[in-house]
mmCIF file of all heavy atoms in Angstrom:
data_model
loop_
_atom_site.group_PDB
_atom_site.id
_atom_site.type_symbol
_atom_site.label_atom_id
_atom_site.label_comp_id
_atom_site.label_asym_id
_atom_site.label_seq_id
_atom_site.Cartn_x
_atom_site.Cartn_y
_atom_site.Cartn_z
ATOM 1 N N GLU A 187 1.485 -16.193 19.465
ATOM 2 C CA GLU A 187 0.250 -16.911 19.765
ATOM 3 C C GLU A 187 0.195 -18.228 18.995
ATOM 4 O O GLU A 187 -0.357 -19.221 19.494
ATOM 5 C CB GLU A 187 -0.964 -16.039 19.443
ATOM 6 C CG GLU A 187 -2.299 -16.605 19.898
ATOM 7 C CD GLU A 187 -2.381 -16.789 21.401
ATOM 8 O OE1 GLU A 187 -1.641 -16.124 22.149
ATOM 9 O OE2 GLU A 187 -3.212 -17.619 21.827
ATOM 10 N N ILE A 188 0.739 -18.259 17.794
ATOM 11 C CA ILE A 188 0.848 -19.528 17.054
ATOM 12 C C ILE A 188 1.721 -20.503 17.845
ATOM 13 O O ILE A 188 1.380 -21.679 18.005
ATOM 14 C CB ILE A 188 1.426 -19.285 15.654
ATOM 15 C CG1 ILE A 188 0.446 -18.479 14.802
ATOM 16 C CG2 ILE A 188 1.741 -20.612 14.957
ATOM 17 C CD1 ILE A 188 1.004 -18.042 13.470
ATOM 18 N N TYR A 189 2.832 -20.011 18.341
ATOM 19 C CA TYR A 189 3.731 -20.841 19.161
ATOM 20 C C TYR A 189 2.992 -21.372 20.388
ATOM 21 O O TYR A 189 3.081 -22.564 20.720
ATOM 22 C CB TYR A 189 4.942 -20.003 19.561
ATOM 23 C CG TYR A 189 5.830 -20.627 20.606
ATOM 24 C CD1 TYR A 189 6.803 -21.555 20.250
ATOM 25 C CD2 TYR A 189 5.700 -20.276 21.951
ATOM 26 C CE1 TYR A 189 7.632 -22.131 21.211
ATOM 27 C CE2 TYR A 189 6.517 -20.847 22.919
ATOM 28 C CZ TYR A 189 7.474 -21.764 22.536
ATOM 29 O OH TYR A 189 8.276 -22.332 23.489
ATOM 30 N N ASN A 190 2.258 -20.499 21.074
ATOM 31 C CA ASN A 190 1.523 -20.918 22.268
ATOM 32 C C ASN A 190 0.446 -21.949 21.932
ATOM 33 O O ASN A 190 0.238 -22.914 22.672
ATOM 34 C CB ASN A 190 0.874 -19.704 22.943
ATOM 35 C CG ASN A 190 1.890 -18.723 23.483
ATOM 36 O OD1 ASN A 190 3.005 -19.111 23.837
ATOM 37 N ND2 ASN A 190 1.521 -17.456 23.543
ATOM 38 N N SER A 191 -0.254 -21.738 20.809
ATOM 39 C CA SER A 191 -1.335 -22.641 20.422
ATOM 40 C C SER A 191 -0.811 -24.031 20.083
ATOM 41 O O SER A 191 -1.409 -25.046 20.464
ATOM 42 C CB SER A 191 -2.102 -22.052 19.227
ATOM 43 O OG SER A 191 -2.668 -20.800 19.554
ATOM 44 N N VAL A 192 0.295 -24.087 19.380
ATOM 45 C CA VAL A 192 0.899 -25.385 19.068
ATOM 46 C C VAL A 192 1.380 -26.068 20.343
ATOM 47 O O VAL A 192 1.202 -27.280 20.530
ATOM 48 C CB VAL A 192 2.065 -25.216 18.071
ATOM 49 C CG1 VAL A 192 2.814 -26.532 17.873
ATOM 50 C CG2 VAL A 192 1.542 -24.710 16.731
ATOM 51 N N PHE A 193 1.948 -25.297 21.238
ATOM 52 C CA PHE A 193 2.469 -25.849 22.490
ATOM 53 C C PHE A 193 1.349 -26.445 23.343
ATOM 54 O O PHE A 193 1.559 -27.461 24.027
ATOM 55 C CB PHE A 193 3.198 -24.753 23.269
ATOM 56 C CG PHE A 193 3.915 -25.231 24.487
ATOM 57 C CD1 PHE A 193 5.123 -25.906 24.382
ATOM 58 C CD2 PHE A 193 3.390 -25.008 25.758
ATOM 59 C CE1 PHE A 193 5.788 -26.361 25.519
ATOM 60 C CE2 PHE A 193 4.049 -25.461 26.893
ATOM 61 C CZ PHE A 193 5.249 -26.138 26.769
ATOM 62 N N THR A 194 0.150 -25.826 23.309
ATOM 63 C CA THR A 194 -0.977 -26.324 24.103
ATOM 64 C C THR A 194 -1.866 -27.301 23.335
ATOM 65 O O THR A 194 -2.853 -27.787 23.880
ATOM 66 C CB THR A 194 -1.835 -25.150 24.594
ATOM 67 O OG1 THR A 194 -2.312 -24.402 23.458
ATOM 68 C CG2 THR A 194 -1.030 -24.224 25.507
ATOM 69 N N GLY A 195 -1.541 -27.560 22.068
ATOM 70 C CA GLY A 195 -2.309 -28.510 21.277
ATOM 71 C C GLY A 195 -3.543 -27.939 20.605
ATOM 72 O O GLY A 195 -4.356 -28.691 20.061
ATOM 73 N N ASP A 196 -3.694 -26.619 20.598
ATOM 74 C CA ASP A 196 -4.850 -25.988 19.944
ATOM 75 C C ASP A 196 -4.482 -25.714 18.482
ATOM 76 O O ASP A 196 -4.198 -24.581 18.095
ATOM 77 C CB ASP A 196 -5.213 -24.689 20.675
ATOM 78 C CG ASP A 196 -6.564 -24.136 20.246
ATOM 79 O OD1 ASP A 196 -7.098 -24.615 19.223
ATOM 80 O OD2 ASP A 196 -7.069 -23.225 20.928
ATOM 81 N N ARG A 199 -6.665 -23.098 16.338
ATOM 82 C CA ARG A 199 -6.289 -21.703 16.581
ATOM 83 C C ARG A 199 -4.983 -21.372 15.859
ATOM 84 O O ARG A 199 -4.857 -20.326 15.221
ATOM 85 C CB ARG A 199 -6.145 -21.501 18.089
ATOM 86 C CG ARG A 199 -5.907 -20.075 18.553
ATOM 87 C CD ARG A 199 -5.529 -20.120 20.030
ATOM 88 N NE ARG A 199 -5.551 -18.816 20.648
ATOM 89 C CZ ARG A 199 -6.472 -18.376 21.485
ATOM 90 N NH1 ARG A 199 -7.510 -19.167 21.773
ATOM 91 N NH2 ARG A 199 -6.400 -17.184 22.029
ATOM 92 N N ALA A 200 -4.007 -22.284 15.965
ATOM 93 C CA ALA A 200 -2.734 -22.078 15.287
ATOM 94 C C ALA A 200 -2.922 -22.019 13.779
ATOM 95 O O ALA A 200 -2.269 -21.211 13.084
ATOM 96 C CB ALA A 200 -1.749 -23.192 15.656
#
Side-chain angles (χ1 to χ4, degrees):
E187 188 61 23
I188 293 173
Y189 169 83
N190 295 332
S191 300
V192 173
F193 187 76
T194 59
D196 192 347
R199 186 191 192 106

